[in-house]
Amino acid sequence: IIIRVKNEEKWINSCLRSVYKQNYENFEVILVDNKSTDNTVKMAEQFPVKIVEIDNYFPGKAINEGIKISKGQIIVCLSGHCIPKNKNWLLNLVSNLENNEIGGVYGRQEPLSFSSPYDKRDLIITFGLDKKVQIKDYFFHNANSAFRKDIWEKFPFDEKIHNLEDRLWAKKIINSNLKIIYEP
């Protein structure tokens, strides 16, 4: 599980507590820190995580750096401010990867009670309740995603763009005749 962070002290304990309560137990956690200036890293060190610090943050670079030191064959990306809702989150996400026609899976994101009305609207519209198999739609979101390491080896994330690295990656996946799953 690659968790990208920068100044996430408000969320990192909740995020990691939920990660370590999963029913799926065979995983490692790699925290990729973009030079946090708050207590994010200190708080994360209370958990059995590997910590990688990067300079010159780019989303794809952060993911690639975390994957390079990972040992697993399944990669999960999670943003440090995202909190898995239940103990089946990881199993529900990665079980989709048993099908070799699937290039990647991304999961639902829900607003919190204090999210702005605009963020609530956007998250509810974007992340619905119905599972989808995408064969033409390039939408993908690395705040909560999974894919196999062998897929990443063929299609690493672009390290030079500031955003949408996940959607550019998904386009390569779809264009290689693999599918994307949205798992709510």
Side-chain angles (χ1 to χ4, degrees):
I1 300 173
I2 311 298
I3 302 177
R4 297 177 292 172
V5 297
K6 179 169 184 164
N7 297 333
E8 299 285 2
E9 71 179 5
K10 184 174 179 180
W11 307 108
I12 196 64
N13 274 337
S14 296
C15 174
L16 289 170
R17 265 197 311 270
S18 185
V19 164
Y20 282 102
K21 289 181 181 175
Q22 294 301 303
N23 286 335
Y24 188 106
E25 296 177 354
N26 185 17
F27 62 86
E28 66 182 336
V29 176
I30 299 168
L31 191 88
V32 181
D33 180 55
N34 180 27
K35 300 233 178 198
S36 291
T37 57
D38 64 2
N39 291 313
T40 300
V41 172
K42 183 178 180 181
M43 296 166 86
E45 288 174 335
Q46 298 172 26
F47 297 87
V49 300
K50 294 179 188 174
I51 298 174
V52 177
E53 187 176 286
I54 62 169
D55 293 316
N56 303 320
Y57 178 83
F58 288 89
K61 177 183 176 184
I63 294 169
N64 290 342
E65 291 300 315
I67 293 171
K68 287 175 188 173
I69 67 164
S70 69
K71 296 178 184 171
Q73 295 307 305
I74 295 175
I75 305 299
V76 173
C77 297
L78 187 64
S79 291
H81 56 271
C82 293
I83 303 164
K85 189 170 180 179
N86 61 53
K87 59 186 177 182
N88 297 313
W89 158 75
L90 188 54
L91 181 61
N92 289 336
L93 197 63
V94 303
S95 63
N96 290 281
L97 297 173
E98 294 171 5
N99 180 338
N100 286 333
E101 294 179 0
I102 305 305
V105 180
Y106 66 102
R108 188 162 191 239
Q109 295 177 51
E110 296 181 355
L112 297 170
S113 61
F114 52 83
S115 297
S116 77
Y118 301 111
D119 286 343
K120 286 179 182 179
R121 178 202 62 206
D122 291 347
L123 288 171
I124 290 168
I125 290 170
T126 303
F127 298 100
L129 298 175
D130 297 325
K131 185 172 184 170
K132 294 189 296 187
V133 178
Q134 297 170 204
I135 58 173
K136 293 182 181 179
D137 181 359
Y138 304 143
F139 186 82
F140 192 73
H141 210 290
N142 275 331
N144 178 17
S145 67
F147 44 88
R148 293 185 310 279
K149 196 173 204 173
D150 65 322
I151 298 291
W152 171 81
E153 288 167 347
K154 293 177 190 173
F155 305 103
F157 290 95
D158 187 318
E159 295 191 1
K160 298 190 184 327
I161 58 173
H162 290 282
N163 56 29
L164 301 179
E165 86 294 339
D166 38 17
R167 290 174 189 104
L168 291 175
W169 181 84
K171 184 175 183 178
K172 292 177 190 175
I173 296 303
I174 298 283
N175 288 341
S176 70
N177 295 318
L178 293 168
K179 298 171 184 164
I180 300 287
I181 298 281
Y182 168 60
E183 177 59 72

